[in-house]
Amino acid sequence: KAGVTQTPRYLIKTRGQQVTLSCSPISGHRSVSWYQQTPGQGLQFLFEYFSETQRNKGNFPGRFSGRQFSNSRSEMNVSTLELGDSALYLCASSGGQGNTEAFFGQGTRLTVV
Amino acid sequence: AQSVTQLGSHVSVSEGALVLLRCNYSSSVPPYLFWYVQYPNQGLQLLLKYTSAATLVKGINGFEAEFKKSETSFHLTKPSAHMSDAAEYFCAVSKGASGSRLTFGEGTQLTVNP
């Protein structure tokens, strides 16, 4: 069974640009969550999608958005990039109902210069 | 609101020694608790999880954790450290059974000395 796949693995963007990250969950999983990991703030929850609907949202500005497609694949978008958005972005998938663990992808390392 | 606190951002042990990584939680409802490990430039791998079935939880790679409600703790232990255990460890709590919205602790970097 394939794991959670995140693309790309590495990205370098310039301040002010926008970026889109992709996450393909484990087959059959309907919940996809996104996390930001930085040395200063640690691991922080961005949002969760379940069956194409945003189910939970963390405390991030509106520049951070996401969506989920009918095949459960998810994208997150960050607009007007700031230097502080440099981070490892992790995606996790879970069954969403009764399944009690989240499986993580290897992450996308975003560097904003 | 739920939260977890990991005591000690860095822990150093000798190979073969006991590993003890501390985690305390705060939750107004019965929590679901998890320990994850992260190797450099990698995602998170689940070590074990507590979902109220048993207070002593055994995980992968010889790790285990005990849920103690009276102490609001979920410490991670391993009897004998291996060089390959060197990594960062995260304790996390989830309100729902799905584990889809996790609140993480600050992480503990484990160093294993030969």
Side-chain angles (χ1 to χ4, degrees), chain A residues 31-76:
Chain A
S31 169
V32 174
S33 298
W34 289 88
Y35 296 84
Q36 181 195 64
Q37 185 177 25
T38 60
Q41 300 298 318
L43 278 155
Q44 293 186 287
F45 172 77
L46 280 156
F47 30 65
E48 179 203 4
Y49 285 86
F50 179 81
S51 293
E52 302 179 65
T53 302
Q54 189 179 86
R55 188 159 70 170
N56 287 295
K57 190 177 190 306
N59 189 26
F60 277 81
R63 299 186 297 107
F64 292 82
S65 63
R67 59 178 176 169
Q68 186 179 35
F69 301 95
S70 58
N71 62 358
S72 292
R73 188 178 72 86
S74 177
E75 289 181 346
M76 69 163 279

Coordinates of all heavy atoms in Angstrom, one line a residue, chain A residues 31-76:
Chain A
S31 N -9.5 11.8 5.0 CA -9.1 13.0 5.8 C -7.7 13.3 5.5 O -6.8 12.5 5.5 CB -9.3 12.7 7.3 OG -8.7 13.8 8.0
V32 N -7.4 14.6 5.2 CA -6.1 15.1 4.9 C -5.9 16.3 5.8 O -6.7 17.2 5.8 CB -5.9 15.5 3.5 CG1 -4.5 16.1 3.3 CG2 -5.9 14.2 2.6
S33 N -4.8 16.3 6.6 CA -4.5 17.4 7.4 C -3.1 18.0 7.0 O -2.3 17.3 6.5 CB -4.4 17.0 8.9 OG -5.7 16.5 9.4
W34 N -3.0 19.3 7.2 CA -1.7 19.9 6.9 C -1.1 20.6 8.1 O -1.8 21.1 9.0 CB -1.9 21.0 5.9 CG -2.3 20.5 4.5 CD1 -3.5 20.2 4.0 CD2 -1.3 20.3 3.4 NE1 -3.4 19.8 2.7 CE2 -2.1 19.8 2.3 CE3 0.0 20.4 3.3 CZ2 -1.5 19.5 1.1 CZ3 0.6 20.1 2.1 CH2 -0.1 19.6 1.0
Y35 N 0.2 20.5 8.2 CA 0.9 21.0 9.4 C 2.1 21.8 8.9 O 2.7 21.5 7.8 CB 1.4 19.9 10.3 CG 0.3 19.1 11.0 CD1 -0.3 18.1 10.3 CD2 -0.1 19.5 12.2 CE1 -1.3 17.3 10.9 CE2 -1.1 18.7 12.9 CZ -1.7 17.7 12.2 OH -2.7 17.0 12.8
Q36 N 2.5 22.9 9.6 CA 3.7 23.6 9.3 C 4.7 23.3 10.5 O 4.3 23.4 11.6 CB 3.4 25.1 9.3 CG 4.6 26.0 9.0 CD 4.3 27.5 9.3 OE1 4.1 27.8 10.5 NE2 4.3 28.3 8.3
Q37 N 5.9 23.1 10.1 CA 6.9 22.8 11.1 C 8.1 23.8 10.9 O 8.7 23.9 9.8 CB 7.5 21.4 11.0 CG 8.5 21.1 12.1 CD 8.9 19.6 12.0 OE1 8.9 19.0 11.0 NE2 9.4 19.1 13.2
T38 N 8.3 24.6 11.9 CA 9.5 25.5 11.9 C 10.2 25.4 13.2 O 9.7 24.9 14.2 CB 9.0 27.0 11.8 OG1 8.1 27.3 13.0 CG2 8.2 27.3 10.6
P39 N 11.5 25.8 13.2 CA 12.3 25.6 14.4 C 11.8 26.5 15.6 O 11.8 26.1 16.7 CB 13.7 26.2 14.0 CG 13.7 25.9 12.5 CD 12.3 26.2 12.1
G40 N 11.2 27.6 15.3 CA 10.7 28.5 16.3 C 9.3 28.1 16.9 O 9.1 28.2 18.1
Q41 N 8.4 27.7 16.0 CA 7.0 27.4 16.4 C 6.7 26.0 16.5 O 5.6 25.6 17.0 CB 6.1 28.1 15.4 CG 6.2 29.6 15.3 CD 5.9 30.3 16.7 OE1 5.0 29.9 17.3 NE2 6.7 31.2 17.0
G42 N 7.6 25.1 16.1 CA 7.3 23.7 16.2 C 6.3 23.3 15.1 O 6.2 23.9 14.1
L43 N 5.6 22.2 15.5 CA 4.6 21.7 14.6 C 3.2 22.3 14.9 O 2.7 22.2 16.0 CB 4.4 20.2 14.8 CG 5.5 19.3 14.1 CD1 5.6 18.0 14.8 CD2 5.0 19.1 12.6
Q44 N 2.6 23.0 13.9 CA 1.4 23.6 14.0 C 0.4 23.2 13.0 O 0.7 23.1 11.8 CB 1.6 25.2 13.9 CG 2.4 25.7 15.1 CD 2.4 27.3 15.0 OE1 3.1 27.8 14.2 NE2 1.7 27.9 15.9
F45 N -0.8 23.0 13.4 CA -1.9 22.5 12.6 C -2.4 23.7 11.7 O -2.7 24.7 12.2 CB -3.1 22.0 13.5 CG -4.3 21.6 12.8 CD1 -4.4 20.5 12.0 CD2 -5.4 22.5 12.8 CE1 -5.6 20.2 11.4 CE2 -6.6 22.2 12.2 CZ -6.7 21.0 11.5
L46 N -2.5 23.4 10.4 CA -3.0 24.4 9.5 C -4.5 24.2 9.2 O -5.3 25.1 9.5 CB -2.3 24.3 8.2 CG -0.9 25.0 8.1 CD1 0.0 24.4 7.0 CD2 -1.1 26.5 7.9
F47 N -4.9 23.1 8.7 CA -6.3 22.8 8.4 C -6.4 21.3 8.1 O -5.5 20.6 7.8 CB -6.9 23.6 7.3 CG -6.0 24.1 6.2 CD1 -5.4 23.2 5.4 CD2 -5.7 25.4 6.0 CE1 -4.5 23.6 4.4 CE2 -4.8 25.9 5.1 CZ -4.2 24.9 4.2
E48 N -7.7 20.9 8.1 CA -8.0 19.5 7.8 C -9.2 19.5 6.8 O -10.1 20.3 6.9 CB -8.5 18.7 9.0 CG -8.9 17.3 8.7 CD -9.8 16.6 9.7 OE1 -10.3 17.3 10.7 OE2 -10.2 15.5 9.6
Y49 N -9.1 18.6 5.8 CA -10.1 18.4 4.9 C -10.7 17.0 5.0 O -9.9 16.0 5.1 CB -9.7 18.7 3.4 CG -9.5 20.2 3.2 CD1 -8.3 20.8 3.5 CD2 -10.6 20.9 2.7 CE1 -8.2 22.2 3.4 CE2 -10.5 22.3 2.5 CZ -9.3 22.9 2.8 OH -9.1 24.3 2.7
F50 N -12.0 16.9 4.8 CA -12.6 15.6 4.8 C -13.7 15.6 3.8 O -14.6 16.5 3.9 CB -13.2 15.2 6.2 CG -13.9 13.9 6.3 CD1 -13.1 12.8 6.5 CD2 -15.2 13.8 6.3 CE1 -13.7 11.5 6.6 CE2 -15.9 12.6 6.4 CZ -15.1 11.5 6.5
S51 N -13.7 14.7 2.9 CA -14.7 14.6 1.8 C -14.9 16.0 1.2 O -16.0 16.4 1.0 CB -16.0 14.1 2.4 OG -15.9 12.7 2.8
E52 N -13.8 16.6 0.8 CA -13.8 17.8 0.0 C -14.2 19.1 0.8 O -14.3 20.2 0.3 CB -14.6 17.7 -1.2 CG -14.2 16.6 -2.2 CD -15.1 16.5 -3.4 OE1 -15.1 17.4 -4.2 OE2 -15.8 15.5 -3.5
T53 N -14.4 18.9 2.1 CA -14.9 20.0 3.0 C -13.8 20.3 4.1 O -13.3 19.4 4.7 CB -16.2 19.7 3.6 OG1 -17.2 19.4 2.6 CG2 -16.7 20.9 4.5
Q54 N -13.6 21.6 4.3 CA -12.7 21.9 5.4 C -13.4 21.7 6.7 O -14.4 22.3 7.0 CB -12.3 23.4 5.3 CG -11.2 23.7 6.3 CD -10.7 25.2 6.2 OE1 -11.3 26.1 6.8 NE2 -9.7 25.4 5.4
R55 N -12.8 20.8 7.5 CA -13.5 20.4 8.7 C -12.9 21.1 10.0 O -13.6 21.3 10.9 CB -13.3 18.9 8.9 CG -14.1 18.3 10.0 CD -14.4 16.8 9.9 NE -13.2 16.0 10.0 CZ -13.3 14.6 10.1 NH1 -14.4 14.0 10.0 NH2 -12.2 13.9 10.3
N56 N -11.7 21.4 9.9 CA -11.0 22.1 11.0 C -10.0 23.1 10.5 O -9.4 22.9 9.4 CB -10.3 21.2 12.0 CG -11.2 20.4 12.8 OD1 -12.0 20.9 13.6 ND2 -11.3 19.1 12.6
K57 N -9.8 24.2 11.2 CA -8.8 25.2 10.7 C -8.0 25.6 11.9 O -8.5 25.9 13.0 CB -9.5 26.4 10.1 CG -8.6 27.3 9.4 CD -9.5 28.4 8.7 CE -8.6 29.3 7.8 NZ -7.4 29.9 8.4
G58 N -6.7 25.8 11.7 CA -5.8 26.3 12.7 C -5.7 27.8 12.7 O -6.5 28.4 11.9
N59 N -4.8 28.3 13.5 CA -4.8 29.8 13.6 C -3.7 30.4 12.7 O -2.6 30.8 13.1 CB -4.4 30.1 15.1 CG -4.5 31.6 15.3 OD1 -5.3 32.3 14.6 ND2 -3.8 32.1 16.3
F60 N -4.0 30.4 11.4 CA -3.1 30.9 10.4 C -3.9 32.0 9.6 O -5.1 31.9 9.5 CB -2.6 29.8 9.4 CG -1.5 29.0 10.0 CD1 -1.7 28.0 10.9 CD2 -0.2 29.3 9.6 CE1 -0.6 27.3 11.5 CE2 0.9 28.6 10.1 CZ 0.7 27.6 11.0
P61 N -3.1 32.9 9.0 CA -3.8 34.0 8.2 C -4.4 33.4 7.0 O -4.1 32.3 6.5 CB -2.7 35.0 7.9 CG -1.4 34.2 8.1 CD -1.7 33.2 9.1
G62 N -5.3 34.2 6.4 CA -6.0 33.8 5.2 C -5.2 33.6 4.0 O -5.7 33.0 3.0
R63 N -3.9 34.0 4.1 CA -3.0 33.7 2.9 C -2.8 32.2 2.7 O -2.4 31.7 1.7 CB -1.6 34.3 3.2 CG -1.6 35.8 3.3 CD -0.2 36.3 3.4 NE 0.5 35.9 4.6 CZ 1.5 35.0 4.6 NH1 1.9 34.4 3.4 NH2 2.1 34.6 5.7
F64 N -3.1 31.4 3.8 CA -3.0 30.0 3.7 C -4.3 29.4 3.4 O -5.3 29.7 4.2 CB -2.5 29.4 5.1 CG -1.0 29.8 5.4 CD1 -0.7 31.0 5.9 CD2 0.0 28.9 5.1 CE1 0.6 31.4 6.2 CE2 1.3 29.2 5.4 CZ 1.6 30.5 6.0
S65 N -4.4 28.6 2.4 CA -5.7 28.1 2.0 C -5.5 26.6 1.5 O -4.3 26.3 1.2 CB -6.4 28.9 0.9 OG -5.6 29.0 -0.2
G66 N -6.5 25.9 1.3 CA -6.4 24.6 0.8 C -7.6 24.1 0.2 O -8.7 24.8 0.1
R67 N -7.6 22.9 -0.4 CA -8.7 22.3 -1.0 C -8.5 20.8 -1.1 O -7.4 20.4 -1.0 CB -9.1 22.9 -2.3 CG -8.0 22.8 -3.4 CD -8.5 23.4 -4.7 NE -7.5 23.4 -5.7 CZ -7.7 23.7 -7.0 NH1 -9.0 23.9 -7.4 NH2 -6.8 23.7 -7.9
Q68 N -9.6 20.1 -1.3 CA -9.5 18.7 -1.4 C -10.4 18.3 -2.6 O -11.5 18.8 -2.8 CB -9.9 17.9 -0.2 CG -9.7 16.4 -0.2 CD -10.1 15.7 1.0 OE1 -11.1 16.1 1.7 NE2 -9.4 14.7 1.4
F69 N -9.9 17.4 -3.4 CA -10.6 16.9 -4.6 C -11.4 15.7 -4.3 O -11.2 15.0 -3.2 CB -9.5 16.7 -5.7 CG -8.8 17.9 -6.0 CD1 -7.5 18.2 -5.5 CD2 -9.3 18.9 -6.9 CE1 -6.8 19.3 -5.8 CE2 -8.5 20.1 -7.2 CZ -7.3 20.3 -6.6
S70 N -12.2 15.3 -5.3 CA -13.0 14.1 -5.1 C -12.2 12.8 -4.9 O -12.8 11.9 -4.3 CB -14.0 14.0 -6.2 OG -13.3 13.8 -7.5
N71 N -11.0 12.8 -5.3 CA -10.2 11.6 -5.1 C -9.4 11.7 -3.8 O -8.5 10.9 -3.6 CB -9.2 11.3 -6.3 CG -8.3 12.5 -6.5 OD1 -8.3 13.5 -5.7 ND2 -7.4 12.4 -7.5
S72 N -9.7 12.6 -3.0 CA -9.1 12.9 -1.7 C -7.7 13.6 -1.7 O -7.2 14.0 -0.7 CB -9.0 11.6 -0.8 OG -10.3 11.2 -0.4
R73 N -7.2 13.7 -2.9 CA -5.9 14.5 -3.0 C -6.2 15.9 -2.6 O -7.3 16.5 -2.7 CB -5.4 14.5 -4.4 CG -4.0 15.1 -4.6 CD -3.5 15.0 -6.1 NE -4.3 15.9 -6.9 CZ -3.9 17.1 -7.1 NH1 -2.9 17.7 -6.5 NH2 -4.6 17.9 -8.0
S74 N -5.2 16.5 -1.9 CA -5.3 17.8 -1.4 C -4.2 18.7 -1.9 O -3.1 18.3 -2.1 CB -5.4 17.8 0.1 OG -5.5 19.0 0.7
E75 N -4.5 20.0 -1.9 CA -3.5 21.0 -2.2 C -3.6 22.1 -1.2 O -4.7 22.4 -0.7 CB -3.7 21.6 -3.6 CG -3.4 20.7 -4.8 CD -3.7 21.4 -6.1 OE1 -4.3 22.5 -6.1 OE2 -3.2 20.9 -7.1
M76 N -2.5 22.7 -0.8 CA -2.5 23.9 0.0 C -1.8 25.0 -0.8 O -0.8 24.7 -1.5 CB -1.9 23.7 1.4 CG -0.4 23.5 1.4 SD 0.2 23.8 3.1 CE 0.3 25.5 3.2

